[in-house]
Amino acid sequence: MKSASISLLYRQPQPEGDEKRFLVNLIDSPGHVDFTSEVSSALRLTDGCIVVVDAVEGVCIQTRVVLRQAWAERVKPVLFINKIDRLYTQLEMSESEAFEHIKKVLRSVNEVTSVLWLEEWSSKQTNTILDDPYELGLDEDDGEYFSPSKGNVVFGSALDGWGFRLENFIDTYVKKLGIRRDILTKTLWGDYFFAPSKKMIYKKPPSGKAVPMFVNFILKPLWTVYNAFFPARDEEKIAKILTGLNITMTDREFRSYSTPGAAVGGVLRKWLPISPSILDMVIEKLPNPQEAQASRIPVLWKPALDSDTSAGSVPGDDRSMKEAQEQMQQSMAKCDAAAKDTVCFLSKVFAIDKELNRIHRPGVAHQAEVDDGESKRLVALGRIFSGTLKKGDTITVLGPKYDPFKPEKYVSTMVVQQLYLAMGRAMEPINEVKAGNIFALGGVKEHVLKTATLATSRACASFDAMKRGGAPIVRVAVDSVHSADAPKLREGMKMLNLADPGCEVYIQPTGEYIVAASGELHLNHCLTLLKDEFAKIEIKVSTPLVSFKETITEELARDIESEEEEEEEDCDEYDYETDEEESRGRDTDRSLKAELEWRKQLKSKALSHGVDVVGKATSDRSAILFVRAIPIPEKITKFLEESQEQLMHLVRNKKRGHQSSEFLEFVEQAKAVFDECGPEWTKRFAEVWAFGPNGSGPNLLINKTTNYKAPHWFPMTSTDSTRYEDPKEGTDEERQTIERIHTLDNSIVTGFSMASENGPLCLEPMIGVAFEVHEIAIDLNVDISRGRRRCTPILMLQLLHP
């Protein structure tokens, strides 16, 4: 259940009798939806892809996902419609019914590509009209990308090993019917009808019994072969078919097939072998590296080539930053193997046995491998986009977050000692690899985490992040059965985290090891690898848990606001009631009239901040908080999600001041994201009080109060201090109010963290929710000097869980 790469030498026969040789780098990726990350890794390294669609089931969800991934990576697809045999053997369709069914399947695939094309065209329409819609060949006259007439569709059965394109039949019918090749290529697929008496092709049936040419000239011969074996085997028909097709099959071959389906598959495999059809389509319709990289590099590699970069310098290079990056871009676009700069991308890391499964060739001595003392070694699969990578070269490893203008971060250096040509399970050691090829690189355990960019110059920017599928949603806690195996489990978890691009491994605050996967099948695969390949110990696995997140939307907020307005018109009774626990400690002599008057005043004060503002009082009513919940823009939410580890690191090390360069760098990045979301969020940027949950989540607590300067996260200047200071101005009442609020600060933040970690719907973590504190009203007449603080985190938790 993982991608596997192999390099094939294809000798294509030519009409003149000679042959052309092509090197085909092939990566086979799993088709299950749980392994979408493996598909992403394969697409980044390739220039074209073969999309396999089931002829019976048609377009599935994963088909749409794969086509969208290929579109985003600028990988040109071709189509293989598989399991054509099932239309006869299982669905028992006639030739005409099968033709109509195949047309529907093909139409569904083309609808997906049309939607992708229209989405991109619409997004760019405001700037520039596309000169070439992704160079797909999506013609305006037919609106189809995949078409047998274009040669980018193969029909067949992968299990039985047979397949065909229109080209397999065209030469035969050109001689037999006397029709020009170009006309037959255009009309052999679709609603075209042939009149034998006139030798004319019509767009409409010339008679009532006429059938499309695809049915008459392609499907009928196939169905004739099947009819000779089903329902009972007809030896006379079979002999006649084999003679007509010039195929020789012995009785021993027929006896080796246990079922009629296998026997007919053997005949069709000799008549229409699938390999030449697929490989000829790949060579003719998919671009070579020189053609593909010219269109892919501007999308996959985006350095900051603006006027400000020209002044930048490159460590160890006599070129300016702009000059170096422009030369790299040109070299990669041309796929120049002789370029000065070598640039590669590693899309995945996988584990192989220490004893390499090499391809043994007579008389060829294998090179000695480096003994690192480990039973498993990690190897990265990558592609070289420019230059030549050789054994012994010193290469710079750039992480996904690497910035050429800060060349000291997210970077390491390694010497290339283990360079391989991936041949399925085998690894063939090689001395060098040139631009446009796929290779495997060993010795990456200490340098690469899932993906990386390799370059000879630090002026190189990292490649854009790959378009992964959804985040892992199924998680389990794992532990070793025997406590003595804990170190092995820890090392195995590290290996699993490196080797699986879609798996996440982390440690809970409780100390539990968590494995998160995309689905049940992916999870079982990861646990099997952990147990049998990496840790090699017995493990205990908890019950799987599916992760959910709770959030709010603009539409939901408006609906709630409308409902509240209707409730206000129907009922004047105050909504913010307290429960029995909050009623304890309340003055017993408070009259009902005074209670209702107090609630009415509280309601009026809440409405002064807005209809959607909620108020809540402490049990002794010494403090009242007025809070509003709003959705956070998607850009900010995504940034906070990606920055959780960095935020957690800052929290643990208490790096919250301007003296930390790491913190100031985070502030600059955050401010840029907030600014992109409009002036309102630019203002809120300076009012962020806390992140949640646990100080590093994708939720915000925002201070909108006018009488309290909370210790928020974002200092605007290096001299700006946002921490609490004793008030030296104002009346005694104002100073006492601020001091009272300051004593409640930690309780408010803790309550916010608890609420955002356990949402009100099903106690799942919140995401993308900002809580604005509009006012903290203090009653100085209530004595809080005795005992505990009255405004506990429970107040904030109840306030955010109405």
Side-chain angles (χ1 to χ4, degrees):
M1 291 295 183
K2 58 184 178 182
S3 298
S5 176
I6 189 170
S7 297
L8 305 171
L9 180 63
Y10 176 51
R11 297 178 175 89
Q12 186 184 45
Q14 298 298 308
E16 298 80 10
D18 55 353
E19 62 181 20
K20 283 187 177 180
R21 294 189 175 190
F22 297 91
L23 176 62
V24 180
N25 293 302
L26 175 66
I27 300 180
D28 179 27
S29 58
H32 195 278
V33 66
D34 284 0
F35 299 93
T36 304
S37 58
E38 293 284 351
V39 179
S40 300
S41 301
L43 287 172
R44 175 56 61 92
L45 304 183
T46 54
D47 298 320
C49 65
I50 303 171
V51 180
V52 181
V53 176
D54 192 311
V56 177
E57 297 179 3
V59 175
C60 302
I61 294 177
Q62 184 65 2
T63 310
R64 301 176 185 275
V65 172
V66 169
L67 285 171
R68 186 172 290 275
Q69 287 178 300
W71 184 278
E73 292 285 339
R74 291 302 186 263
V75 174
K76 192 171 183 178
V78 291
L79 182 64
F80 175 51
I81 300 181
N82 192 24
K83 301 182 183 179
I84 296 293
D85 56 309
R86 291 178 62 190
L87 300 181
Y88 180 95
T89 58
Q90 294 184 12
L91 301 185
E92 298 181 351
M93 290 182 175
S94 64
E95 300 94 323
S96 298
E97 290 172 340
F99 173 64
E100 294 298 328
H101 183 81
I102 293 171
K103 281 205 306 181
K104 290 180 181 179
V105 173
L106 197 56
R107 189 181 305 117
S108 299
V109 182
N110 279 319
E111 285 174 358
V112 178
T113 58
S114 297
V115 169
L116 295 174
W117 181 87
L118 287 173
E119 286 178 357
E120 181 162 325
W121 183 84
S122 300
S123 65
K124 294 186 178 182
Q125 188 71 353
T126 54
N127 300 323
T128 58
I129 298 178
L130 295 177
D131 295 329
D132 188 349
Y134 170 29
E135 299 181 353
L136 275 181
L138 190 63
D139 299 332
E140 295 181 0
D141 57 345
D142 58 14
E144 293 184 347
Y145 169 60
F146 295 108
S147 174
S149 299
K150 296 180 180 180
N152 59 3
V153 179
V154 170
F155 308 92
S157 171
L159 180 63
D160 292 334
W162 64 267
F164 64 90
R165 294 196 300 163
L166 297 188
E167 284 74 4
N168 293 91
F169 294 89
I170 286 176
D171 289 337
T172 300
Y173 288 117
V174 164
K175 299 176 182 178
K176 187 175 181 178
L177 302 177
I179 301 175
R180 293 207 325 258
R181 183 182 181 86
D182 57 334
I183 295 177
L184 198 58
T185 301
K186 184 178 180 180
T187 59
L188 196 53
W189 168 260
D191 294 324
Y192 293 95
F193 304 84
F194 179 71
S197 58
K198 299 181 180 180
K199 291 193 175 182
M200 296 286 292
I201 297 175
Y202 298 90
K203 290 186 177 180
K204 295 182 179 180
S207 63
K209 296 183 179 180
V211 295
M213 295 175 64
F214 186 81
V215 173
N216 197 24
F217 297 140
I218 296 180
L219 291 184
K220 275 191 175 181
L222 290 175
W223 260 238
T224 299
V225 177
Y226 277 99
N227 289 331
F229 289 86
F230 291 92
R233 183 166 169 172
D234 190 328
E235 297 292 347
E236 185 178 347
K237 283 186 179 180
I238 294 174
K240 187 176 180 180
I241 290 172
L242 295 179
T243 302
L245 297 177
N246 196 22
I247 295 174
T248 302
M249 292 190 71
T250 63
D251 292 338
R252 183 177 181 180
E253 287 181 277
F254 276 119
R255 287 196 301 270
S256 65
Y257 300 120
S258 58
T259 63
V264 72
V267 174
L268 293 177
R269 183 163 53 250
K270 287 201 170 186
W271 176 29
L272 301 168
I274 190 173
S275 301
S277 298
I278 293 290
L279 290 171
D280 288 345
M281 177 178 64
V282 166
I283 291 169
E284 294 173 15
K285 299 303 174 181
L286 297 184
N288 58 46
Q290 289 84 357
E291 297 170 348
Q293 289 187 195
S295 60
R296 295 190 70 202
I297 291 302
V299 177
L300 304 181
W301 193 75
K302 300 174 182 177
L305 292 175
D306 52 42
S307 58
D308 296 334
T309 61
S310 57
S313 59
V314 182
D317 201 327
D318 56 356
R319 299 171 294 179
S320 67
M321 184 72 71
K322 184 175 182 179
E323 181 183 1
Q325 290 183 345
E326 285 180 344
Q327 290 181 4
M328 290 179 195
Q329 194 171 43
Q330 293 173 3
S331 299
M332 285 191 285
K334 296 178 181 178
C335 192
D336 187 2
K340 174 181 178 181
D341 299 297
T342 298
V343 181
C344 314
F345 180 76
L346 307 179
S347 69
K348 63 169 292 185
V349 178
F350 59 98
I352 61 173
D353 293 330
K354 180 180 177 182
E355 296 296 331
L356 296 178
N357 184 19
R358 300 171 181 165
I359 299 175
H360 296 282
R361 297 186 177 90
V364 178
H366 290 297
Q367 303 176 16
E369 292 294 327
V370 179
D371 186 4
D372 50 14
E374 297 182 355
S375 60
K376 290 281 185 181
R377 67 175 55 178
L378 291 176
V379 174
L381 190 66
R383 169 168 175 162
I384 179 167
F385 287 90
S386 70
T388 301
L389 186 65
K390 301 178 180 179
K391 289 186 67 173
D393 286 351
T394 300
I395 199 80
T396 304
V397 184
L398 312 176
K401 296 183 179 180
Y402 174 75
D403 184 355
F405 297 97
K406 298 174 182 178
E408 70 283 351
K409 298 186 65 175
Y410 308 112
V411 63
S412 63
T413 303
M414 67 174 291
V415 178
V416 178
Q417 295 181 344
Q418 304 168 24
L419 195 61
Y420 307 107
L421 183 66
M423 300 294 291
R425 293 184 177 181
M427 289 288 156
E428 185 72 9
I430 54 177
N431 293 319
E432 66 176 26
V433 58
K434 295 186 178 181
N437 285 287
I438 294 175
F439 65 95
L441 179 66
V444 298
K445 183 177 180 180
E446 304 299 328
H447 302 278
V448 179
L449 178 61
K450 297 186 184 295
T451 66
T453 302
L454 306 181
T456 51
S457 173
R458 296 200 177 191
C460 181
S462 293
F463 276 81
D464 280 8
M466 294 185 296
K467 305 296 187 297
R468 299 287 188 188
I473 59 172
V474 182
R475 65 183 189 274
V476 293
V478 298
D479 195 6
S480 56
V481 174
H482 306 290
S483 57
D485 292 332
K488 294 181 180 179
L489 175 63
R490 189 180 303 111
E491 186 65 24
M493 296 284 276
K494 290 180 181 178
M495 295 278 285
L496 178 62
N497 189 43
L498 290 170
D500 194 303
C503 176
E504 289 185 3
V505 174
Y506 56 93
I507 303 177
Q508 290 275 56
T510 58
E512 290 181 305
Y513 286 102
I514 302 297
V515 176
S518 301
E520 184 178 359
L521 183 62
H522 185 210
L523 178 63
N524 292 335
H525 173 69
C526 292
L527 295 177
T528 301
L529 287 178
L530 178 63
K531 179 182 177 181
D532 299 335
E533 300 292 335
F534 299 145
K536 294 184 177 181
I537 59 172
E538 295 183 18
I539 59 175
K540 297 182 293 185
V541 182
S542 69
T543 303
L545 300 174
V546 179
S547 300
F548 294 95
K549 296 292 179 67
E550 301 183 20
T551 189
I552 61 176
T553 63
E554 293 283 358
E555 292 77 10
L556 180 60
R558 285 195 292 268
D559 293 341
I560 294 174
E561 185 175 327
S562 301
E563 292 175 3
E564 290 179 350
E565 290 177 351
E566 293 175 1
E567 291 175 0
E568 290 169 15
E569 295 176 358
D570 298 336
C571 182
D572 292 332
E573 185 177 353
Y574 178 60
D575 294 333
Y576 306 108
E577 296 183 359
T578 55
D579 55 24
E580 293 182 0
E581 290 186 6
E582 293 176 345
S583 298
R584 296 173 185 174
R586 187 179 302 165
D587 296 336
T588 57
D589 60 347
R590 185 184 297 273
S591 65
L592 178 61
K593 183 177 179 180
E595 173 73 12
L596 294 175
E597 182 65 25
W598 182 85
R599 293 187 177 189
K600 186 176 181 180
Q601 293 175 0
L602 182 59
K603 176 181 179 181
S604 176
K605 196 167 188 179
L607 292 175
S608 67
H609 293 287
V611 177
D612 51 351
V613 174
V614 179
K616 197 79 170 180
T618 58
S619 58
D620 61 357
R621 294 183 178 174
S622 63
I624 306 171
L625 270 68
F626 297 90
V627 179
R628 179 170 77 117
I630 59 173
I632 300 175
E634 185 178 352
K635 285 186 178 180
I636 299 178
T637 303
K638 185 177 179 181
F639 171 78
L640 295 178
E641 276 193 292
E642 295 174 347
S643 306
Q644 284 192 56
E645 292 185 6
Q646 186 178 3
L647 275 171
M648 190 178 298
H649 176 72
L650 294 172
V651 170
R652 288 177 178 175
N653 293 279
K654 299 181 180 180
K655 295 182 177 180
R656 299 182 59 176
H658 60 271
Q659 70 277 7
S660 169
S661 59
E662 182 180 4
F663 177 69
L664 289 179
E665 179 183 347
F666 174 77
V667 171
E668 293 176 2
Q669 297 173 355
K671 187 176 186 305
V673 176
F674 274 69
D675 290 344
E676 292 178 5
C677 297
E680 292 184 356
W681 286 96
T682 298
K683 184 178 179 181
R684 291 188 179 103
F685 172 79
E687 300 168 341
V688 173
W689 193 343
F691 300 94
N694 302 320
S696 61
N699 303 286
L700 298 174
L701 181 64
I702 297 175
N703 179 26
K704 285 284 185 181
T705 62
T706 57
N707 61 342
Y708 179 61
K709 192 176 183 182
H712 62 73
W713 266 84
F714 296 126
M716 295 299 99
T717 65
S718 60
T719 59
D720 181 25
S721 176
T722 58
R723 296 189 177 279
Y724 167 79
E725 296 180 2
D726 292 333
K728 297 182 173 58
E729 299 181 359
T731 63
D732 290 342
E733 182 177 350
E734 291 174 345
R735 290 198 297 270
Q736 291 177 18
T737 298
I738 295 176
E739 290 174 356
R740 182 76 64 84
I741 295 175
H742 177 62
T743 63
L744 307 177
D745 186 298
N746 289 336
S747 295
I748 294 173
V749 173
T750 302
F752 158 71
S753 180
M754 293 168 61
S756 57
E757 187 171 14
N758 301 280
L761 297 179
C762 48
L763 299 180
E764 293 290 342
M766 295 186 186
I767 182 173
V769 182
F771 296 100
E772 294 181 337
V773 181
H774 283 260
E775 183 180 355
I776 306 175
I778 300 295
D779 187 352
L780 297 175
N781 295 322
V782 178
D783 184 14
I784 64 169
S785 60
R786 288 179 291 175
R788 60 183 178 85
R789 295 178 183 174
R790 301 287 180 170
C791 183
T792 64
I794 302 300
L795 167 66
M796 196 67 178
L797 183 63
Q798 293 175 342
L799 179 62
L800 304 185
H801 286 191

